[in-house]
């Protein structure tokens, strides 16, 4: 369970003071899908950055598995970020000159996964996103949709409990975007990871177990589906 309680975030001071998040509260059940939805500038990315420990709130708290995230030491937050969560962004973060396999091996190397286990884990992640045949192709030669699938393989190879996707289809055509979204939902069900999608797409949000609608940094609507 992730509990967001009375979060406030203020950028700037005095005349440039801007309240990006204003008393935001909601909870997300483990293994569920949540959409953070709102127009550009409504505070979606700010909220995601605070929920993932990348940024600090000015007020309120984020409680993950009964621990208050921002009260942890920096080293503990770093460890939490490295072992429990992953991100996918609108821009496809892949290493263009590396092969697909090398791209997916990288997070395992960083996490210190035993050398003998790395290749199998990386291949399984490539299979999960249907890129196994491209294992030895360089990332720069992939299409946009394939690059995003590779970014997803990199994001899931360490088996995170939480996957944040910030406008993951923003750079894709609608058909390819739909495939990426279907893949994310499939991974949510198959791996049991909690999926948090930041989006301005109402149809996509409606497919999630819950929706947090933001406007000018405030929650204007909180929708939750019945139990699956
Ligand atoms: P969204 O992701 O919904 O488009 P953001 O969370 O990125 O919105 O931004 C919310 C508001 O906060 C915007 O008005 C943005 O200009 C402002 N903002 C974001 N980051 C900063 C920053 N580092 N300094 C000042 N203002 C910021
Ligand atoms: Mg944003």
């Amino acid at each position: 369970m992730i509990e967001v309680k009375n979060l406030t975030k203020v950028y700037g001071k005095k005349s440039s003071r801007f309240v990006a998040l204003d008393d935001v509260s909601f909870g997300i059940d483990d293994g569920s899908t949540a959409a953070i939805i709102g127009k550009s500038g409504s505070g979606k990315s700010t909220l995601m950055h605070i929920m993932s420990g990348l940024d600090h709130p000015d007020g309120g708290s984020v409680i993950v598995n009964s621990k208050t995230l921002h009260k942890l030491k920096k080293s503990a937050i770093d460890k939490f970020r490295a072992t429990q969560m992953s991100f996918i962004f609108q821009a496809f973060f892949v290493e263009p000159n590396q092969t697909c396999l090398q791209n997916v091996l990288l997070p395992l190397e960083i996490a210190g996964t035993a050398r003998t286990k790395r290749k199998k884990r990386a291949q399984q992640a490539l299979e999960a996103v249907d890129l196994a045949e491209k294992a030895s192709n360089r990332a720069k030669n992939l299409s946009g949709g394939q690059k995003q699938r590779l970014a997803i393989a990199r994001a899931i190879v360490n088996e995170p409990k939480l996957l944040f996707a910030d406008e993951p289809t923003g750079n894709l055509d609608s058909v390819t975007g739909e495939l990426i979204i279907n893949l994310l939902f499939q991974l949510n069900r198959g791996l049991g990871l909690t999926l948090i999608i930041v989006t301005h797409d109402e149809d996509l949000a409606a497919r999630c177990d819950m929706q947090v609608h933001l406007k000018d940094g405030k929650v204007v609507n909180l929708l939750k589906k019945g139990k699956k």
Side-chain angles (χ1 to χ4, degrees):
M1 175 91 179
I2 304 170
E3 290 166 84
V4 170
K5 283 192 177 165
N6 310 107
L7 272 195
T8 301
K9 179 72 184 178
V10 182
Y11 290 118
K13 287 198 173 95
K14 295 190 177 158
S15 62
S16 65
R17 189 176 185 274
F18 182 83
V19 180
L21 292 177
D22 186 359
D23 200 22
V24 169
S25 300
F26 58 90
I28 301 177
D29 292 330
D30 288 340
S32 70
T33 53
I36 297 171
I37 183 162
K39 292 197 176 118
S40 178
S42 57
K44 306 184 295 297
S45 294
T46 300
L47 176 57
M48 188 190 87
H49 292 154
I50 294 175
M51 287 177 71
S52 60
L54 186 66
D55 202 356
H56 274 259
D58 293 297
S61 52
V62 178
I63 302 162
V64 186
N65 302 331
S66 312
K67 282 192 191 136
T68 303
L69 185 57
H70 300 91
K71 280 191 182 160
L72 299 174
K73 286 188 184 141
K74 188 177 179 300
S75 58
I77 294 183
D78 288 346
K79 185 171 178 220
F80 169 76
R81 288 174 52 78
T83 59
Q84 309 274 311
M85 66 174 64
S86 277
F87 299 87
I88 305 162
F89 299 95
Q90 186 169 337
F92 322 122
F93 281 103
V94 295
E95 301 291 334
N97 289 311
Q98 305 252 301
T99 67
C100 291
L101 185 65
Q102 286 168 331
N103 262 281
V104 183
L105 283 169
L106 196 67
L108 296 170
E109 287 160 20
I110 293 168
T113 306
R115 193 173 280 275
T116 50
K117 291 185 183 157
R118 287 180 203 163
K119 199 166 174 196
K120 185 156 183 250
R121 290 265 298 274
Q123 278 165 339
Q124 283 171 340
L126 285 174
E127 272 163 37
V129 301
D130 202 17
L131 276 183
E133 308 95 278
K134 302 281 182 189
S136 28
N137 289 43
R138 287 189 197 282
K140 65 180 172 193
N141 297 327
L142 299 175
S143 70
Q146 288 171 334
K147 279 185 191 139
Q148 192 62 308
R149 267 151 54 203
L150 180 59
I152 294 171
R154 283 178 76 159
I156 60 167
V157 71
N158 278 330
E159 299 175 344
K161 296 197 173 57
L162 255 172
L163 181 60
F164 287 98
D166 194 351
E167 313 254 7
T169 61
N171 278 334
L172 299 172
D173 65 78
S174 59
V175 174
T176 311
E178 179 69 17
L179 292 174
I180 293 295
I181 293 301
N182 288 342
L183 175 61
L184 291 175
F185 279 106
Q186 187 190 320
L187 293 169
N188 156 257
R189 286 190 299 268
L191 307 177
L193 52 78
T194 306
L195 176 63
I196 302 175
I197 307 180
V198 173
T199 183
H200 52 247
D201 180 342
E202 302 264 354
D203 294 332
L204 168 55
R207 290 173 62 183
C208 293
D209 297 320
M210 71 171 291
Q211 304 177 37
V212 180
H213 284 250
L214 288 182
K215 191 181 176 198
D216 301 332
K218 289 191 183 70
V219 177
V220 287
N221 202 359
L222 197 57
L223 296 171
K224 226 167 190 174
K225 283 186 185 167
K227 286 261 179 272
K228 277 186 276 191

